[in-house]
Amino acid sequence: MLLHLAVNNYAIVDHLELELDRGMTVITGETGAGKSIMLDALALTLGDRADSGAVRPGADKADILATFDISDIPEAQQWLEQRDLASDEHQVILRRVVTAEGRSRGYINGSPCPQQDLKALGEMLIDIHSQHEHQSLLKTDTHRRLLDDYAGASELARQVQLAAQRCRQTEQALEQASNISEEQNARQQLLSYQLEELDNLSLQDGELELLESEQRQLANAEQIMQSCQQIINICSESDNGSVLQALSACLNRLNGLHHHGRSLGEAHDLLTGAQIQIEEAVGELSRYLDHFEADPARQQQVEERLGVIHDLARKHRILPQELPALQQRLIEELEGIQQSDADKDRLTEELAAYREHYQQLAAKLSAIRHKAAQKLAKAVTGEIQQLGMPGGQVQVELRPITSAQYPLQGLENVEFLVSANPGQPAKPLAKVASGGELSRISLGIQVITAQTSRVPTLVFDEVDVGIGGPTAEIVGKLLRHLGERGQVLTVTHLPQVAAQGHQHLFVRKEQRRDSTRTCIDRLEGEDRVQEVARMLGGVDLTEESLAHARRQLAR
C-alpha cells in the first residue's frame, strides 16, 4: 500500500508531503485546489509520460517520490529481486524527476530505471480509476480488458497476444521463404544443369596446362623430328664434317703441342669436355627420336578435349582456367538454395507448433471469458440497480472472430450491452446509455472489478460525477467496503461519499502576493464536520448543515 507521497515543484505545488493509511481516504477541496494534481504527480512515479509543463514555474525540476509497503505483494517482491532492486524492509521507493526542459529520469529504490520499468512495477502496486474512465466504456477494447481483469485472465490474454504475434511473424517469414523458393526453382534447375556439365567435364588440377603443352607438341611433331635430326647430323653425322669431327681434329692438334708445357692443358680439357657434352646431347636427341611418335589419333583426342573445355568456358564467359572456381561458386549457391528449402520446411513445422500453441491458449482464455461473462454481467447488474438504475440490466456478449486467423485479442470480441429499463432489448452502451447512466454503469463495473483486483491500493478520481442523493451514499458505502480490504484513495465532491472515509484529507490553495501553492490538511473532529457541512450547504455554515454533517459522519 502507499505509505508516503512527497511532491516538490510540480504544477502549483511547491512542497507537499502525505502520510497515508489503510482503509478509505477521502480527498476533498474546492475545484482547482489541486486534488487531481496530487494524483497526477503520483501517476508520474508509476510511469506516466511527463513533459516540461509539469514543472512549477520558476523551478528547474519537479521531484516526486512515493513509498510503498509491498509485504503483501509477492509479485512485486519477486520482480524487484529478479532485477537486484529489492530492499530489506519490504518497501519500495519510486521516484521521478522531470526537468524544466522536459527530460525525465526514473528511480526504483535509488537505482536509475527506464520508464517502462516504473510502469511495470506500478501496475502491481496501484490501480487508478479516473472520472473520464466511463468514456472509454464506449470502446469494446475496454470491455475485453475489464472482463479479463475480472476473470483474472490478464496475463493469459497477454500470452495469447504474444502467441498470435509469433504465429503471424512465422507465417510472414514462411510466405517470404515460399516466394523466394518459387523464384529460385528455375535458378536451382539451371544450377543443377550447369554443375552436371562441369561434373561431366571433370577438369583436373593442372590438366589444362598439360593438354595445351601436349597439343603443341603433337601439332608440331614433324618439325620437331626434322629439327632434332638436323642437330644430330650437324653434331655427328654430316658428310661435310660434323662438330664432333671438328673437335677431334682440334684435340689431335693440341696433342701434338704437348711439349709446350701446361699452358695449353686447360684448353685441351675444355675441348675434351665439349666433345663429351656434344656426344651426350646427340645421345639424348637420338633416344628422344627413338621414343617419339607422331600420333594423329592422340592429337585429335587432345584437341577435342581442349575444344570442350574452351566451349564451356565461352558459355560461361570466363577463361578456361577459371572453370574450377566457377564450379565451386555454383556448388555454394546451390547449397544456399537447398538451405532455403530446409528453412521453409523448418518454418512450416514451427508454424504448425505455434498455431497449436495459440489455439490451446486462446481456447483456454475463451472458456474463462465465457464463464466469467455471466458472473460479471450479474454482478454489474446488481450494482447499477443499487446506483439509481432499478430496472437496468447488463449483458456481456462474446462474438466469435472470423475475420482473422490469429486474432490478437483471442477468439472472440467482447461487448457490454445494456437495457436501461425493463422490457427494452439490450443494446450497445453507446446507443442506449445517457451520460448519467454511463457514469453509473462505469462506477458499477469499476467497483466490481476492483473487488477481484490483486492490487492493494485503489484510487478513484471523481468517479462519482453525475451521481447524487441516496445513490451517492450507496457509492460511499461501496468505496468504504473496498477500503476495508486494502487501501482506497477517493477524490470526491459528494458529502455522502466524503462522510464514509476512514481518513479525510482537505486540499486548499494558499495565495500569496506573487505565487499560489497547494496545501493539504488532515481533518479530524470538528474540522471534518465543517468540511462535510461545506460540501452539503455551501460556504455559509449553518446549524442545520453542521447537524446534517454530524449525522452523515455518525451514520
Side-chain angles (χ1 to χ4, degrees):
M1 87 177 172
L2 179 62
L3 300 176
H4 178 260
L5 178 65
V7 182
N8 293 285
N9 296 321
Y10 178 76
I12 61 173
V13 177
D14 57 353
H15 177 72
L16 181 68
E17 289 204 39
L18 285 177
E19 299 292 336
L20 295 154
D21 301 314
R22 297 182 68 86
M24 176 183 174
T25 298
V26 295
I27 304 168
T28 66
E30 295 288 351
T31 300
K35 301 184 296 299
S36 294
I37 288 176
M38 182 182 67
L39 298 184
D40 292 342
L42 174 62
L44 276 181
T45 67
L46 303 172
D48 272 14
R49 295 186 62 180
D51 56 51
S52 59
V55 181
R56 180 179 171 86
D60 58 349
K61 66 180 179 180
D63 195 335
I64 303 102
L65 183 145
T67 303
F68 292 86
D69 179 354
I70 58 171
S71 55
D72 295 330
I73 316 175
E75 297 89 347
Q77 296 176 28
Q78 183 180 10
W79 189 93
L80 291 167
E81 288 169 358
Q82 290 173 347
R83 292 158 178 79
D84 294 327
L85 296 172
S87 68
D88 297 331
E89 301 177 355
H90 289 301
Q91 290 187 0
V92 61
I93 299 174
L94 306 184
R95 183 184 175 205
R96 191 78 176 274
V97 178
V98 183
T99 68
E101 294 79 23
R103 293 190 297 272
S104 169
R105 298 189 302 275
Y107 302 87
I108 297 177
N109 283 336
S111 298
C113 68
Q115 178 181 343
Q116 53 265 35
D117 279 0
L118 285 175
K119 198 171 189 67
L121 180 58
E123 289 175 353
M124 305 178 203
L125 304 177
I126 195 166
D127 189 6
I128 298 178
H129 301 262
S130 74
Q131 60 179 305
H132 304 295
E133 191 153 335
H134 67 272
Q135 298 173 1
S136 67
L137 271 181
L138 301 179
K139 302 177 182 178
T140 55
D141 286 346
T142 303
H143 303 177
R144 184 183 65 254
R145 176 181 60 80
L146 289 170
L147 176 60
D148 290 341
D149 288 345
Y150 177 78
S154 297
E155 176 59 24
L156 179 58
R158 188 184 69 84
Q159 293 177 10
V160 168
Q161 183 179 15
L162 292 176
Q165 290 173 342
R166 190 162 49 235
C167 285
R168 292 182 179 187
Q169 292 167 357
T170 306
E171 190 172 62
Q172 185 178 11
L174 178 59
E175 184 177 355
Q176 292 175 349
S178 298
N179 291 338
I180 292 173
S181 180
E182 291 176 3
E183 293 172 0
Q184 288 181 337
N185 278 339
R187 179 62 178 168
Q188 184 175 2
Q189 293 177 0
L190 177 61
L191 289 174
S192 299
Y193 172 73
Q194 291 175 335
L195 283 172
E196 184 178 359
E197 284 185 322
L198 290 166
D199 288 340
N200 292 336
L201 181 65
S202 188
L203 184 63
Q204 305 299 315
D205 291 341
E207 181 185 0
L208 180 63
E209 290 79 5
L210 291 175
L211 286 172
E212 289 175 340
S213 175
E214 186 177 4
Q215 190 265 347
R216 287 193 297 271
Q217 182 175 314
L218 290 170
N220 299 303
E222 185 175 351
Q223 182 180 353
I224 292 171
M225 293 177 65
Q226 289 178 355
S227 297
C228 288
Q229 188 60 54
Q230 289 174 355
I231 294 171
I232 292 173
N233 292 338
I234 292 171
C235 290
S236 64
E237 297 179 359
S238 174
D239 294 337
N240 298 324
S242 65
V243 174
L244 286 176
Q245 290 174 346
L247 287 172
S248 295
C250 292
L251 286 170
N252 289 333
R253 288 181 179 274
L254 283 177
N255 288 334
L257 301 174
H258 65 276
H259 57 278
H260 287 285
R262 299 176 58 185
S263 59
L264 297 176
E266 186 174 351
H268 183 276
D269 292 341
L270 290 171
L271 287 172
T272 302
Q275 185 181 30
I276 294 171
Q277 289 180 338
I278 293 296
E279 289 174 349
E280 289 179 354
V282 169
E284 285 295 325
L285 288 170
S286 297
R287 285 190 292 274
Y288 177 79
L289 289 175
D290 290 341
H291 294 87
F292 185 85
E293 294 183 3
D295 188 349
R298 174 58 183 167
Q299 181 178 353
Q300 183 177 357
Q301 290 177 355
V302 170
E303 289 178 349
E304 288 177 353
R305 175 68 171 167
L306 285 172
V308 172
I309 293 172
H310 282 270
D311 287 345
L312 193 54
R314 281 192 299 273
K315 183 177 181 179
H316 291 282
R317 299 180 181 179
I318 59 174
L319 297 174
Q321 56 267 30
E322 295 174 349
L323 285 172
L326 171 66
Q327 185 175 15
Q328 184 60 36
R329 288 198 304 272
L330 296 181
I331 290 173
E332 293 174 356
E333 184 179 353
L334 183 59
E335 289 176 348
I337 293 175
Q338 292 170 343
Q339 181 61 44
S340 296
D341 290 339
D343 290 342
K344 179 182 174 183
D345 294 338
R346 175 183 57 80
L347 287 170
T348 301
E349 294 177 0
E350 288 182 357
L351 180 58
Y354 290 154
R355 184 186 292 118
E356 182 179 358
H357 181 61
Y358 171 81
Q359 291 294 338
Q360 290 174 349
L361 291 177
K364 182 179 179 181
L365 177 61
S366 183
I368 293 174
R369 283 174 172 170
H370 278 84
K371 184 176 180 180
Q374 295 182 3
K375 293 176 61 178
L376 178 59
K378 182 178 180 181
V380 174
T381 295
E383 291 298 328
I384 67 171
Q385 288 180 355
Q386 291 188 66
L387 295 173
M389 294 179 64
Q393 294 284 333
V394 172
Q395 298 178 13
V396 181
E397 183 179 70
L398 281 71
R399 292 192 300 273
I401 296 175
T402 58
S403 58
Q405 189 170 5
Y406 313 108
L408 296 175
Q409 64 269 42
L411 301 179
E412 57 276 315
N413 285 316
V414 179
E415 185 171 15
F416 292 169
L417 306 178
V418 64
S419 171
N421 301 293
Q424 291 183 344
K427 294 182 180 180
L429 288 175
K431 296 182 178 179
V432 176
S434 65
E437 290 171 338
L438 198 59
S439 297
R440 286 170 169 79
I441 296 169
S442 173
L443 181 57
I445 291 172
Q446 291 178 58
V447 169
I448 292 300
T449 55
Q451 291 174 1
T452 61
S453 173
R454 301 177 66 182
V455 178
T457 298
L458 304 173
V459 176
F460 294 90
D461 184 9
E462 298 188 28
V463 296
D464 48 20
V465 171
I467 295 173
T471 303
E473 189 167 347
I474 294 172
V475 170
K477 290 180 179 180
L478 290 173
L479 296 177
R480 182 180 178 90
H481 177 68
L482 290 176
E484 289 170 353
R485 59 180 289 275
Q487 183 183 45
V488 170
L489 306 180
T490 302
V491 176
T492 182
H493 286 285
L494 298 179
Q496 299 93 326
V497 175
Q500 297 285 347
H502 297 97
Q503 294 83 226
H504 193 144
L505 301 177
F506 176 64
V507 182
R508 58 185 173 84
K509 278 197 297 189
E510 188 176 275
Q511 294 184 338
R512 299 178 181 177
R513 178 177 301 176
D514 55 355
S515 65
T516 301
R517 67 172 186 162
T518 293
C519 302
I520 294 186
D521 301 318
R522 182 182 290 269
L523 301 183
E524 302 283 353
E526 193 62 24
D527 290 337
R528 188 176 183 189
V529 171
Q530 292 185 10
E531 170 59 8
V532 174
R534 182 194 65 79
M535 299 173 73
L536 283 166
V539 176
D540 295 328
L541 301 182
T542 65
E543 287 299 325
E544 290 80 4
S545 63
L546 290 170
H548 190 182
R550 291 189 182 96
R551 287 195 298 272
Q552 288 277 2
L553 289 167
R555 191 161 60 238

